[in-house]
C-alpha cells in the first residue's frame, strides 16, 4: 500500500529525497546509466511545448531532488526502500551539515545539466535520422522519375499506344511524387521555424511630420489638380485683396489655361474667331506663355504650322515684341536641335521659320542665312532639311530675293554634281528643281484663308543666327507684380481700343457679307435654272482611251484599225487622245512595227487636225526624251521618221531640234541619230541631201546645221560624220572653210566704217559753210560702200 501511494500523500518522503540520492544503490545507477532510448517525435513536441509554456524556475532547480522521484513515479518506476526509510528521514535531515547540503546541490545541478545535454543529443540524432530518411526517399523518387523519363525518351510512341490503365498509373505516380515533394518542403519549413528562436518584432516607426509649406504653395493654388471653372471664379471672388500674391497666382493660372486652350483649338476655319478671344486675354503679361504654347503646339502638330504662323502674324501687328520673342525662341530651338542632331525638332523649327518668312514676320535674310548654314557642309540630313525648307518658303523667296534663291539652287546643283550624298537625297534635289521649274505650284506661300494681314501693316524682324539671343524664359514663370492692378487697368484700355476697332471692322464686314450673300443667293437661283452636270472624274476620258487601245491591239492591219477608229465619235479636242494612245502603243512594243507608222500616216492624210496634233506630240516627246528607255526611244524615233519620210508630217518640226553640245543630252543625240538614219533608209542619201538643202526650208534647218559659231558648226559636222551621214554636211564644210575669210572681211568693213565716221565728224567741224557738199559726198560714199558690200556677198 505504501509503495502504491501517490506522491501527494507522502510529503516527508519528497522532502528527504536527497538521502536516497546518496545511497549506494542510487550512486550505482548514476554511474551506469541505461542506454538512451530514441524519443518519439510526439514526446519531443510535448516536451518543447512544456518548456515554452513554463520557463525554467530557479526554485525548482534548487529542489532538484524532488523532480527525479516525480518523474520516476510518473513513468511507473518506483524506487524500493524509500517507504521503509521514510520514518527516520526527519531525524537524519536534522543532522545534515551545511557543507554536505551544498555538495548535494552541486551534484544535482551537474546531473540536470548532463540530462539536458543528453536530451539535446537525442533530438539531434532524431532530426538527422529524419532528414536522412527524407533524403533517401527523395533520391529514390528522383531516380524513379529519371528512369521513367528515360523510358519515355527511348519509346516515344509507348504513351500514345499504351492502354488507359497505364496512363492512369503514370499520372497517379506523378501526382504521388509531387505530393511527396510538397510534404517534404512543408516539413522542412516547419523544422526551420522550430529551429529559429522567436524574434522580437520591432515596432513600426511613426510617420514623419508633413513638410513645411513652401512659399509657392500658398493657399489658393490648384497645385496641378483640376479645378472646375465655377470653383475658380468663386475663389477669385472670395479674395478681397486684388493685389495679393494669392490673387495674382490664381489669375496667372487662369491666364495660362485660357491661352493654352485657345492656341490648341485654332485652325484655318476658326482663326478669325480665335483672334478676338486671344486679344481679350492679357497678352502683355502672358507673352511668354503665348510663345511657349505656340512652339509646343507646333512641335506636336507640324501640319498646322501655317495656322500658328498666321496667328502669330496677327498678334505681331499689335504687339511686335511678342513676334520678336517667338522668333528668337524658335531660332534658339533650331540652333539647339542642329547641335544635338535632333532631326524631328530641326524639321519642325525650320518649318516654323519658313512660314514666319511667308507671313513677313521674319526677314528673308534669316531664311537665306539658314540655308547657307545647312548647305555649307552638306550631309544627307542637312540637305533633306534644306530641301523641305525651300519647298515651304521658296515661292516667297522667289518674289522677295530671286538672286539669293538662285545662289541657293546653284549650291544645290553643285551638291548634286559632287554625288557624295545618298541617292534618295539626290532624287529630292531633282524634285526640288522640278518644283522650281513649275514655279512652286502646289506649295503656295500663304493659303487664301490664312492671308489675314496686309504687308504694310506687318512688322518684320531681322535677326542673325550668330547673334547672342535672350529667350527670356523667366516670362514663363509666375512672379508677383507690385503694380498688378495698374497694369491690368492699362491692358483693359488697350484691349478696348484693339477690340473696338476690330468690332467696327467686323460689323462693316458683316454688312458687306450680308449683301454678298444676297447676291450669291440670286446667282445660285439663276445657276440652278441653267445647271449643267459635268464629270470631273474623267471617267469618259478613261473609257475612250480603253476603247482606242483595244481597237488598235485587236485589228489585223492598219486599214482595219483606221476604219474602226474613224467610227468612234470624238468630241472636239479629243483627237489628241488618239494620237497619244497611238504613240504610247508604239513605244510599248519590243521592236518597232511598221503598222503604227502606216496608221499614223493614214490619220495625217485624212485630217489636218491629226497632223497638227502629231506635231505637238513630236515637240512634247523631244522635250521629255531623257525620261524614255532606250527601247521606247528607238520606237518613237522610227515612228516620226516614217511620218517625215512619207511627208505625213511637215519638215519644219525639225526646227525644234538644236544640235549643239550645250543643248543636247545623250538621249536626245540618240534620238537624232536614229531619226536621220531612218530617213536615209527611207529616202536615200541623195534625196535626203536635196531635202536638207532646199532653200525654202533653210530657216527650219538652221538649228540642226548651226552657222552662228565655229564650235557649233564643227560639232554638227562631227556628229553626222560619226553616225555615217557625213554626205549631208558638204555645204556646212564649205561654209566652215570660208568662215575665216568672211570674218576678216567683216572686220575690215567695221574698221572702214569707223574711219569714215571719223572723217565725217572732222569735215563737219572744219567748215560749217560746206556742210551741204560734205553731206552729199558722204551720202555718195555710203552708196558706194553698200554696192561694194553687195558685190562681195555675191562673190
Amino acid at each position: 500500500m505504501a509503495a502504491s501511494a501517490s506522491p501527494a500523500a507522502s510529503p516527508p518522503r519528497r522532502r528527504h529525497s536527497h538521502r536516497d540520492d546518496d545511497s549506494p544503490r542510487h550512486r550505482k545507477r548514476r554511474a551506469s546509466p541505461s542506454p538512451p532510448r530514441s524519443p518519439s517525435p510526439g514526446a519531443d513536441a510535448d516536451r518543447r511545448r512544456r518548456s515554452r509554456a513554463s520557463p525554467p524556475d530557479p526554485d525548482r532547480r534548487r529542489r532538484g531532488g524532488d523532480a527525479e522521484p516525480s518523474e520516476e513515479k510518473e513513468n511507473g518506476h518506483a524506487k524500493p526502500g524509500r517507504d521503509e526509510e521514510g520514518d527516520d528521514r526527519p531525524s537524519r535531515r536534522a543532522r545534515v551539515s551545511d557543507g554536505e547540503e551544498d555538495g548535494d546541490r552541486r551534484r544535482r545541478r551537474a546531473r540536470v545539466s548532463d540530462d539536458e545535454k543528453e536530451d539535446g543529443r537525442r533530438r539531434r540524432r532524431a532530426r538527422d535520422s529524419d532528414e536522412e530518411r527524407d533524403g533517401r526517399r527523395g533520391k529514390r523518387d528522383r531516380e524513379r522519375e529519371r528512369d521513367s523519363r528515360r523510358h519515355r525518351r527511348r519509346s516515344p510512341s509507348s504513351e500514345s499506344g499504351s492502354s488507359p490503365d497505364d496512363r492512369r498509373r503514370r499520372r497517379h505516380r506523378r501526382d504521388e511524387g509531387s505530393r511527396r515533394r510538397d510534404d517534404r518542403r512543408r516539413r522542412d519549413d516547419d523544422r526551420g521555424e522550430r529551429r529559429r528562436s522567436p524574434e522580437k518584432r520591432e515596432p513600426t516607426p511613426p510617420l514623419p511630420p508633413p513638410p513645411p509649406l513652401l512659399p509657392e504653395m500658398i493657399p489658393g493654388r490648384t497645385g496641378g489638380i483640376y479645378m472646375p471653372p465655377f470653383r475658380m471664379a468663386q475663389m477669385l471672388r472670395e479674395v478681397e485683396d486684388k493685389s495679393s500674391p494669392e490673387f495674382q497666382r490664381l489669375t496667372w493660372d487662369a491666364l495660362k489655361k485660357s491661352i493654352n486652350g485657345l492656341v490648341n483649338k485654332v485652325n484655318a476655319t476658326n482663326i478669325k474667331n480665335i483672334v478676338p478671344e486671344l486679344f481679350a486675354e492679357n497678352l502683355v503679361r502672358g507673352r511668354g506663355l503665348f510663345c511657349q504654347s505656340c512652339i509646343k503646339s507646333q512641335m506636336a502638330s507640324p501640319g498646322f504650322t501655317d495656322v500658328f504662323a498666321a496667328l502669330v502674324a496677327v498678334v505681331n501687328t499689335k504687339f511686335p515684341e511678342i513676334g520678336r520673342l517667338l522668333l528668337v525662341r524658335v531660332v534658339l530651338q533650331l540652333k539647339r536641335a542642329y547641335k544635338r542632331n535632333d532631326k524631328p525638332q530641326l524639321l519642325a523649327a525650320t518649318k516654323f521659320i519658313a512660314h514666319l518668312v511667308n507671313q513677313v514676320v521674319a526677314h528673308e535674310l534669316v531664311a537665306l542665312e539658314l540655308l547657307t548654314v545647312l548647305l555649307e557642309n552638306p550631309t544627307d540630313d542637312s540637305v533633306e532639311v534644306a530641301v523641305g525648307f525651300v519647298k515651304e518658303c521658296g515661292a516667297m523667296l522667289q518674289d522677295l530675293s530671286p538672286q539669293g534663291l538662285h545662289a541657293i539652287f546653284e549650291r544645290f546643283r553643285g551638291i548634286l554634281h559632287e554625288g557624295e550624298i545618298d541617292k534618295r537625297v539626290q532624287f529630292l534635289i531633282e524634285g526640288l528643281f522640278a518644283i522650281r521649274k513649275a514655279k512652286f505650284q502646289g506649295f503656295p506661300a500663304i493659303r487664301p484663308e490664312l492671308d489675314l494681314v496686309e504687308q504694310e501693316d506687318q512688322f518684320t524682324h531681322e535677326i542673325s543666327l550668330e547673334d547672342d539671343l535672350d529667350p527670356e524664359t523667366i516670362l514663363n514663370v509666375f512672379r508677383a507684380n507690385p503694380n498688378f492692378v495698374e497694369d491690368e487697368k492699362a491692358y483693359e484700355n488697350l484691349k478696348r481700343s484693339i477690340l473696338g476697332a476690330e468690332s467696327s471692322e467686323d460689323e462693316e464686314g458683316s454688312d458687306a457679307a450680308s449683301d454678298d450673300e444676297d447676291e450669291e443667293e440670286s446667282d445660285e437661283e439663276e445657276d440652278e435654272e441653267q445647271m449643267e452636270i459635268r464629270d470631273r472624274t474623267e471617267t469618259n476620258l478613261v473609257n475612250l482611251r480603253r476603247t482606242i487601245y483595244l481597237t488598235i491591239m485587236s485589228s489585223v492591219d492598219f486599214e482595219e484599225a483606221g476604219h474602226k477608229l474613224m467610227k468612234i465619235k470624238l468630241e472636239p479636242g479629243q483627237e489628241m487622245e488618239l494620237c497619244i494612245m497611238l504613240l504610247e502603243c508604239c513605244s510599248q512594243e519590243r521592236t518597232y512595227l511598221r503598222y503604227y507608222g502606216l496608221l499614223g500616216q493614214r490619220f495625217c492624210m485624212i485630217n489636218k487636225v491629226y497632223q497638227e496634233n502629231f506635231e505637238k506630240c513630236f515637240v512634247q516627246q523631244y522635250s521629255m526624251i531623257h525620261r524614255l528607255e532606250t527601247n521606247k526611244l528607238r520606237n518613237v524615233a522610227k515612228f516620226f521618221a516614217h511620218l517625215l519620210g512619207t511627208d505625213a508630217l511637215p519638215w519644219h518640226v525639225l526646227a525644234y531640234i538644236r544640235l549643239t553640245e550645250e543643248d543636247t543630252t545623250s538621249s536626245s543625240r540618240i534620238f537624232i541619230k536614229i531619226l536621220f538614219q531612218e530617213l536615209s533608209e527611207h529616202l536615200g542619201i541623195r534625196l535626203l541631201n536635196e531635202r536638207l538643202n532646199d532653200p525654202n526650208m533653210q530657216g527650219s534647218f538652221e538649228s540642226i546645221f548651226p552657222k552662228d559659231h565655229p564650235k557649233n558648226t564643227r560639232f554638227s559636222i562631227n556628229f553626222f560624220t560619226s553616225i555615217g551621214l557625213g554626205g549631208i554636211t558638204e555645204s556646212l564644210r564649205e561654209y566652215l572653210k570660208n568662215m575665216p575669210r568672211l570674218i576678216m572681211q567683216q572686220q575690215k568693213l567695221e574698221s572702214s566704217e569707223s574711219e569714215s565716221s571719223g572723217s565725217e565728224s572732222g569735215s563737219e567741224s572744219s567748215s560749217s559753210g560746206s556742210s551741204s557738199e560734205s553731206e552729199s559726198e558722204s551720202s555718195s560714199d555710203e552708196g558706194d560702200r553698200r554696192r561694194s558690200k553687195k558685190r562681195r556677198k555675191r562673190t
Side-chain angles (χ1 to χ4, degrees):
M1 291 294 292
S4 62
S6 62
S10 57
R13 192 174 302 165
R14 273 200 310 272
R15 193 183 309 128
H16 301 287
S17 60
H18 65 278
R19 298 290 300 273
D20 297 334
D21 294 338
D22 294 335
S23 61
R25 186 171 50 197
H26 282 215
R27 292 196 200 100
K28 186 175 181 181
R29 188 178 298 167
R30 283 198 303 270
S32 59
S34 61
R37 292 176 294 176
S38 62
S40 62
D44 292 340
D46 292 340
R47 192 178 298 109
R48 280 194 294 273
R49 276 198 299 274
R50 284 197 299 273
S51 64
R52 290 195 200 101
S54 60
D57 190 3
D59 297 335
R60 191 173 179 183
R61 285 191 177 181
R62 291 194 199 100
R63 297 191 302 270
D66 300 341
E68 190 172 355
S70 62
E71 284 184 11
E72 291 175 358
K73 290 187 179 182
E74 286 175 2
N75 296 332
H77 299 286
K79 294 185 181 180
R82 288 189 180 182
D83 295 337
E84 294 84 359
E85 297 175 0
D87 295 335
D88 55 350
R89 275 178 188 168
S91 58
R92 292 180 184 178
R93 174 65 177 149
R95 290 193 297 269
V96 174
S97 63
D98 295 336
E100 293 177 354
E101 187 176 358
D102 294 337
D104 294 338
R105 196 174 294 141
R106 282 195 296 272
R107 282 193 295 274
R108 281 196 300 273
R109 289 175 184 168
R111 189 175 66 247
V112 169
S113 63
D114 293 339
D115 293 341
E116 290 176 353
K117 290 179 182 179
E118 189 65 29
D119 194 10
R121 290 193 199 97
R122 275 195 219 99
R123 290 198 204 98
R124 283 196 295 274
R125 280 197 293 273
R127 188 169 62 249
D128 295 340
S129 62
D130 291 342
E131 291 178 355
E132 186 177 356
R133 188 162 51 253
D134 293 341
R136 285 197 297 271
R137 191 181 295 118
K139 187 176 181 180
R140 285 198 300 272
D141 293 341
R142 286 193 295 273
E143 291 177 354
R144 195 179 295 114
E145 290 177 4
R146 196 182 302 114
D147 294 339
S148 63
R149 282 199 299 271
R150 191 182 299 115
H151 179 68
R152 283 199 299 270
R153 199 180 302 121
R154 288 177 181 174
S155 58
S157 61
S158 61
E159 188 172 355
S160 61
S162 60
S163 62
D165 295 336
D166 295 339
R167 288 196 294 271
R168 197 181 300 111
R169 278 196 297 273
R170 282 193 292 272
R171 197 180 305 114
H172 177 70
R173 209 177 296 125
R174 286 196 297 270
D175 296 342
E176 186 66 25
S178 62
R179 205 162 34 246
R180 286 175 183 170
R181 285 193 296 274
D182 294 340
D183 294 341
R184 189 160 57 251
R185 289 195 204 96
R186 201 179 298 112
R187 284 197 301 271
D188 293 342
D189 295 340
D190 295 341
R191 196 175 295 118
E193 289 179 0
R194 292 194 202 104
R195 281 193 214 123
R196 288 195 297 266
S197 60
E199 298 177 356
K200 294 182 180 181
R201 293 184 179 179
E202 297 181 357
T204 57
L207 294 175
L213 290 176
L214 298 175
E216 61 268 13
M217 298 173 63
I218 55 179
R221 185 186 179 191
T222 59
I225 303 172
Y226 171 74
M227 185 173 293
F230 73 92
R231 178 60 180 160
M232 180 70 73
Q234 182 181 359
M235 292 177 63
L236 290 173
R237 285 194 301 270
E238 290 174 355
V239 178
E240 298 178 356
D241 187 6
K242 300 299 182 181
S243 61
S244 62
E246 292 85 356
F247 183 77
Q248 294 185 30
R249 166 69 74 178
L250 291 175
T251 54
W252 175 267
D253 292 338
L255 177 64
K256 182 177 182 180
K257 188 181 299 184
S258 178
I259 289 176
N260 286 336
L262 292 173
V263 172
N264 287 333
K265 70 180 182 181
V266 68
N267 53 43
T269 57
N270 66 357
I271 187 171
K272 294 182 179 179
N273 302 324
I274 293 293
V275 168
E277 298 180 15
L278 190 62
F279 280 122
E281 304 295 335
N282 193 345
L283 288 179
V284 176
R285 185 187 182 199
R287 57 187 182 276
L289 297 176
F290 175 73
C291 297
Q292 183 183 20
S293 182
C294 286
I295 293 173
K296 285 187 177 180
S297 300
Q298 190 268 339
M299 278 289 296
S301 54
F304 289 86
T305 305
D306 53 350
V307 179
F308 296 123
L311 183 64
V312 173
V314 175
V315 174
N316 186 60
T317 57
K318 306 298 181 182
F319 304 102
E321 63 275 5
I322 296 179
R324 178 176 176 79
L325 177 61
L326 185 134
L327 180 61
V328 166
R329 290 191 178 184
V330 174
V331 169
L332 289 175
Q333 181 185 2
L334 182 141
K335 293 167 69 176
R336 186 163 53 249
Y338 185 76
K339 290 179 181 178
R340 296 177 179 175
N341 291 330
D342 190 352
K343 186 177 178 182
Q345 191 173 3
L346 183 63
L347 286 171
T350 53
K351 193 170 185 179
F352 207 169
I353 292 177
H355 284 284
L356 290 177
V357 171
N358 291 338
Q359 292 286 347
V360 204
V361 176
H363 200 271
E364 63 269 14
L365 291 179
V366 180
L368 296 176
E369 185 179 3
L370 175 59
L371 288 171
T372 305
V373 171
L374 290 174
L375 300 178
E376 184 179 2
N377 297 316
T379 62
D380 293 343
D381 292 336
S382 66
V383 174
E384 183 178 356
V385 172
V387 168
F389 184 80
V390 174
K391 285 181 181 178
E392 297 294 337
C393 65
M396 182 60 70
L397 291 177
Q398 186 71 33
D399 297 337
L400 299 178
S401 179
Q403 294 181 355
L405 187 64
H406 177 72
I408 295 299
F409 272 96
E410 288 298 322
R411 178 58 182 151
F412 274 122
R413 184 176 283 107
I415 293 171
L416 193 61
H417 288 169
E418 290 171 4
E420 296 180 357
I421 57 176
D422 191 27
K423 287 287 185 183
R424 180 182 65 85
V425 185
Q426 293 181 12
F427 285 131
L428 290 177
I429 297 177
E430 292 177 0
L432 182 62
F433 275 96
I435 293 171
R436 182 198 183 190
K437 189 175 182 180
K439 298 181 179 179
F440 293 95
Q441 292 182 0
F443 297 91
I446 304 174
R447 287 191 285 172
E449 60 269 20
L450 297 177
D451 192 5
L452 306 175
V453 181
E454 298 294 335
Q455 289 192 5
E456 56 269 13
D457 297 337
Q458 188 61 269
F459 290 91
T460 305
H461 305 283
E462 181 180 352
I463 61 175
S464 176
L465 299 179
E466 298 179 356
D467 295 342
D468 294 333
L469 305 174
D470 183 15
E472 300 183 31
T473 54
I474 197 170
L475 297 176
N476 302 341
V477 186
F478 168 74
R479 290 184 302 165
N481 185 8
N483 301 324
F484 176 73
V485 179
E486 292 80 2
D487 293 345
E488 288 292 321
K489 290 181 180 178
Y491 188 78
E492 285 294 330
N493 298 329
L494 181 60
K495 178 179 71 174
R496 198 175 299 111
S497 64
I498 294 173
L499 296 180
E502 288 188 355
S503 61
S504 62
E505 290 176 2
D506 293 339
E507 290 176 358
E508 295 174 359
S510 62
D511 296 337
S514 61
D515 298 338
D516 294 340
E517 287 177 0
D518 297 336
E519 294 177 0
E520 287 176 359
E521 289 177 0
S522 61
D523 294 339
E524 286 177 0
E525 291 177 357
E526 294 177 358
D527 293 339
E528 286 177 359
E529 297 176 357
Q530 302 176 355
M531 184 177 292
E532 202 175 306
I533 299 174
R534 295 182 180 179
D535 186 11
R536 299 288 184 179
T537 59
E538 297 184 351
T539 306
N540 297 334
L541 184 61
V542 173
N543 294 332
L544 175 63
R545 290 176 179 175
R546 184 186 297 112
T547 304
I548 294 173
Y549 174 77
L550 294 176
T551 304
I552 292 173
M553 302 306 291
S554 61
S555 299
V556 177
D557 58 355
F558 74 96
E559 294 181 348
E560 180 184 353
H563 184 69
K564 289 181 179 179
L565 291 173
M566 289 301 295
K567 286 185 177 181
I568 299 175
K569 295 181 179 180
L570 299 176
E571 296 181 1
Q574 289 185 343
E575 294 86 357
M576 188 68 178
E577 297 297 329
L578 191 147
C579 299
I580 291 174
M581 288 303 301
L582 183 60
L583 194 60
E584 286 291 329
C585 294
C586 178
S587 64
Q588 294 294 332
E589 297 290 343
R590 292 187 178 179
T591 57
Y592 172 71
L593 298 179
R594 195 164 174 265
Y595 164 82
Y596 296 102
L598 294 172
L599 187 59
Q601 177 187 354
R602 174 64 60 91
F603 278 103
C604 290
M605 297 297 184
I606 290 174
N607 195 346
K608 192 176 181 181
V609 176
Y610 292 104
Q611 190 177 16
E612 296 175 355
N613 290 330
F614 276 115
E615 184 177 348
K616 295 178 182 177
C617 290
F618 179 85
V619 176
Q620 185 179 3
Q621 288 293 330
Y622 183 74
S623 62
M624 299 170 57
I625 202 68
H626 60 279
R627 299 184 182 181
L628 299 180
E629 300 175 359
T630 306
N631 189 35
K632 293 182 179 180
L633 189 148
R634 182 181 294 107
N635 292 343
V636 171
K638 289 184 177 181
F639 176 81
F640 284 114
H642 180 90
L643 295 183
L644 289 170
T646 56
D647 291 330
L649 201 64
W651 283 64
H652 65 77
V653 297
L654 297 177
Y656 295 106
I657 300 176
R658 180 167 175 78
L659 187 59
T660 61
E661 187 176 2
E662 292 81 10
D663 297 326
T664 57
T665 61
S666 58
S667 300
S668 62
R669 286 193 285 270
I670 293 173
F671 177 81
I672 297 170
K673 167 191 170 184
I674 298 172
L675 180 68
F676 277 91
Q677 285 179 348
E678 287 293 317
L679 285 174
S680 65
E681 290 181 6
H682 278 289
L683 304 175
I685 191 68
R686 184 180 59 80
L687 186 57
L688 178 62
N689 201 1
E690 292 178 359
R691 284 289 185 91
L692 295 176
N693 292 325
D694 188 359
N696 298 326
M697 299 292 294
Q698 290 303 312
S700 301
F701 301 146
E702 284 182 356
S703 57
I704 298 178
F705 304 105
K707 297 179 181 179
D708 54 348
H709 195 275
K711 176 184 176 183
N712 298 334
T713 306
R714 200 174 294 112
F715 178 82
S716 177
I717 294 171
N718 293 337
F719 174 78
F720 284 109
T721 305
S722 63
I723 64 174
L725 297 176
I728 63 176
T729 61
E730 292 178 358
S731 60
L732 201 63
R733 292 174 187 272
E734 291 293 330
Y735 177 80
L736 188 62
K737 283 182 182 179
N738 299 329
M739 187 175 288
R741 185 168 56 81
L742 295 175
I743 293 173
M744 292 294 294
Q745 290 177 358
Q746 289 178 358
Q747 290 178 355
K748 288 180 180 178
L749 286 175
E750 290 176 357
S751 62
S752 62
E753 287 177 357
S754 61
E755 290 175 358
S756 64
S757 62
S759 63
E760 287 174 2
S761 60
S763 63
E764 288 177 358
S765 60
S766 61
S767 62
S768 59
S770 61
S771 59
S772 60
E773 294 177 0
S774 63
E775 287 177 358
S776 62
E777 290 177 358
S778 62
S779 60
S780 62
D781 292 339
E782 287 179 0
D784 295 339
R785 279 198 298 273
R786 287 173 187 170
R787 282 193 295 272
S788 63
K789 281 183 184 179
K790 288 180 181 179
R791 290 194 199 97
R792 288 170 186 169
K793 285 182 180 179
R794 287 173 186 173
T795 57

